[in-house]
Amino acid sequence: MSIPIVRKVLEKNERAAEENRALFAARGWTCVNILGGAGCGKTTLLEAVIPRLRESCHIAVLEGDLATTRDAERIDALGVPVVQLLTDGGCHLTAIHVSHALDHLAVEDVDLLLIENVGNPVCPANFDLGEHARIALLSVTDGDDKPSKYPLLFRTANLVVLSKSDLLPAVNFNTEAVSHDVHRINPSVEIVLTNTASSEGFDTVTHWIRSLDSLRARCGTVSVH
Amino acid sequence: MSIPIVRKVLEKNERAAEENRALFAARGWTCVNILGGAGCGKTTLLEAVIPRLRESCHIAVLEGDLATTRDAERIDALGVPVVQLLTDGGCHLTAIHVSHALDHLAVEDVDLLLIENVGNPVCPANFDLGEHARIALLSVTDGDDKPSKYPLLFRTANLVVLSKSDLLPAVNFNTEAVSHDVHRINPSVEIVLTNTASSEGFDTVTHWIRSLDSLRARCGTVSVH
């Protein structure tokens, strides 16, 4: 009973994702979808990489949430165009959400569109938004069993960020075991440790985003600040 | 298009939840549904309260996960009957999952059935499993904006647990603001801080579970150990 329903939803999403992909290609935009559980540090990652990237790229952001505009306000404070997408209880963004949000983005001069998905390690991984790349976040405070427990999130990621690494001494998190588990399901994916206390890893993430083919072609190879 | 589909899923779930509720009533079981994001400490809460409750109650556990039997193994190590429910990518437990799992629970002599839902702060809150009470967890490492961002989780909770409170000095988490936000959407709900370093709060949670009407009627008012 439920399988045809799921298929219909995903087929509809896939069509919209293809349309988004075509639109991004036509406009020359690079789109990065940022996924991870609630509180894993997605907005904080944006706050760290946007100032590092904006000198060479025009950036816009879509913020996905069930409720509140708190994250969009944090991005707006950086002076970057942002649209808050509220799903009204929905647990993930769809390509259709993104398509509607693009109508509300008042700028056309964009090189890099960063999409922060709904805080949920499960459902967002099922929905292609038409993005060029995915970044999956896991906070070290959330436990080293998560790559095995949420395989799709890590399997579909192009970059894995282990956030809040300054708290490693305070928690029981085996970074080596996590790297092993992640590479078991996604052998070649790069894994970066980050934290805001020392800014560890944010230059690496910035460099990784900047090295995406479509963005490099557009924004050049300016060195990381 | 999508609304009738959601309604159908929820209606089917509601029928199964009513059947579970009738079964629990007939058998005299009290059922508690434990919800929260990935890594917020649901299994750890079970590991703390089960030894405190088992002297006066017969306990069984259903563990919900997308993949792996890691959590069930942790409960099995306590010598408590446990069934691992794998959703194969599904982001929440349904009452139908619970109904099937009950067929695999080899014991009938149960006073308290504890269900650990899939680690996800969004979808599980939509699905009644037939439980008597819900406990919602939030780790202080996951940020104090979460009650506003995931209102249904906190609105439908009968008890709110703020876990990993030993990490409060290391993170930016305003407990007073969170209590205010939680009580704005769920005015009378009790909020308990817990952590495994000092065992703060676990006696309170144990006492709260033991005070549930249907359980008190069955297991008496033995004092907390």
Side-chain angles (χ1 to χ4, degrees):
Chain A
M1 178 80 200
S2 67
I3 291 168
I5 293 171
V6 171
R7 191 176 298 146
K8 205 182 287 176
V9 169
L10 287 177
E11 275 174 9
K12 206 173 158 189
N13 185 74
E14 199 45 50
R15 277 198 303 276
E18 287 305 331
E19 287 170 16
N20 291 344
R21 221 181 314 278
L23 184 83
F24 297 148
R27 294 186 178 175
W29 296 12
T30 297
C31 176
V32 178
N33 184 4
I34 300 171
L35 302 92
C40 68
K42 297 182 291 300
T43 316
T44 300
L45 183 79
L46 289 177
E47 288 173 324
V49 299
I50 286 172
R52 288 169 163 83
L53 285 164
R54 66 192 306 174
E55 212 168 291
S56 54
C57 298
H58 293 103
I59 300 173
V61 177
L62 306 185
E63 278 291 339
D65 272 304
L66 279 81
T68 85
T69 56
R70 290 193 186 200
D71 289 351
E73 287 160 22
R74 289 169 61 183
I75 301 304
D76 185 58
L78 301 173
V80 169
V82 58
V83 173
Q84 177 78 55
L85 272 164
L86 294 181
T87 63
D88 281 331
C91 56
H92 58 272
L93 292 182
T94 66
I96 298 144
H97 287 134
V98 170
S99 169
H100 290 168
L102 293 177
D103 296 337
H104 295 273
L105 200 60
V107 288
E108 292 259 324
D109 187 15
V110 172
D111 304 309
L112 174 64
L113 178 70
L114 298 165
I115 303 179
E116 179 178 338
N117 221 306
V118 176
N120 173 351
V122 188
C123 316
N126 286 296
F127 289 82
D128 180 8
L129 306 181
E131 70 269 21
H132 294 81
R134 285 187 181 190
I135 301 178
L137 275 84
L138 169 64
S139 162
V140 302
T141 59
D142 287 341
D144 53 16
D145 54 348
K146 296 304 170 293
S148 294
K149 292 175 77 174
Y150 301 90
L152 190 65
L153 174 63
F154 295 93
R155 187 178 301 131
T156 62
N158 303 101
L159 177 70
V160 170
V161 171
L162 303 178
S163 62
K164 309 188 192 180
S165 61
D166 55 316
L167 296 177
L168 277 171
V171 296
N172 185 12
F173 187 93
N174 185 331
T175 308
E176 206 174 314
V178 164
S179 300
H180 181 264
D181 279 355
V182 168
H183 286 142
R184 196 169 40 77
I185 53 182
N186 189 351
S188 63
V189 74
E190 189 175 350
I191 301 174
V192 184
L193 286 161
T194 65
N195 76 71
T196 51
S198 73
S199 293
E200 179 187 13
F202 292 128
D203 282 344
T204 307
V205 176
T206 304
H207 181 73
W208 185 90
I209 293 173
R210 199 194 292 272
S211 302
L212 290 168
D213 284 343
S214 54
L215 194 64
R216 197 175 48 207
R218 188 144 165 136
C219 298
T221 53
V222 183
S223 66
V224 172
H225 299 279
Chain B
M1 178 82 198
S2 67
I3 292 167
I5 292 172
V6 171
R7 191 176 297 146
K8 205 182 283 176
V9 170
L10 287 177
E11 275 174 8
K12 206 172 158 187
N13 186 75
E14 199 45 51
R15 277 199 303 276
E18 286 305 330
E19 288 171 16
N20 290 346
R21 221 182 313 278
L23 184 84
F24 297 149
R27 293 186 180 175
W29 296 12
T30 298
C31 176
V32 178
N33 185 5
I34 300 171
L35 302 92
C40 68
K42 296 182 292 301
T43 316
T44 299
L45 183 79
L46 289 176
E47 288 174 324
V49 300
I50 287 172
R52 288 170 163 82
L53 284 164
R54 67 192 304 174
E55 213 167 288
S56 53
C57 298
H58 294 102
I59 300 172
V61 176
L62 305 185
E63 279 292 339
D65 273 303
L66 279 80
T68 85
T69 56
R70 290 192 186 200
D71 289 351
E73 286 161 22
R74 288 169 61 182
I75 301 304
D76 185 57
L78 301 173
V80 168
V82 58
V83 173
Q84 177 78 55
L85 272 164
L86 294 182
T87 63
D88 281 331
C91 57
H92 58 270
L93 292 181
T94 67
I96 298 143
H97 287 133
V98 170
S99 169
H100 290 167
L102 294 176
D103 296 337
H104 294 273
L105 199 60
V107 288
E108 293 259 323
D109 187 14
V110 172
D111 303 309
L112 175 64
L113 179 69
L114 297 166
I115 303 180
E116 179 178 339
N117 221 306
V118 175
N120 173 350
V122 188
C123 316
N126 286 297
F127 289 82
D128 181 9
L129 306 181
E131 71 269 22
H132 294 81
R134 285 187 181 191
I135 300 178
L137 276 84
L138 170 64
S139 163
V140 303
T141 59
D142 286 341
D144 52 17
D145 54 348
K146 297 304 170 292
S148 295
K149 291 176 75 173
Y150 301 90
L152 190 66
L153 175 63
F154 295 93
R155 187 178 300 133
T156 62
N158 303 101
L159 177 69
V160 170
V161 171
L162 303 178
S163 62
K164 310 189 192 181
S165 60
D166 54 316
L167 296 178
L168 276 172
V171 295
N172 185 12
F173 187 93
N174 185 331
T175 307
E176 207 174 312
V178 164
S179 300
H180 181 264
D181 279 355
V182 167
H183 285 142
R184 195 170 41 78
I185 53 182
N186 190 350
S188 63
V189 74
E190 189 173 350
I191 301 173
V192 184
L193 286 162
T194 64
N195 76 72
T196 50
S198 73
S199 293
E200 179 188 12
F202 292 129
D203 282 345
T204 308
V205 176
T206 305
H207 182 73
W208 185 91
I209 294 173
R210 198 195 293 272
S211 301
L212 291 167
D213 285 344
S214 53
L215 194 64
R216 196 174 49 207
R218 188 144 165 138
C219 297
T221 53
V222 183
S223 65
V224 173
H225 299 278

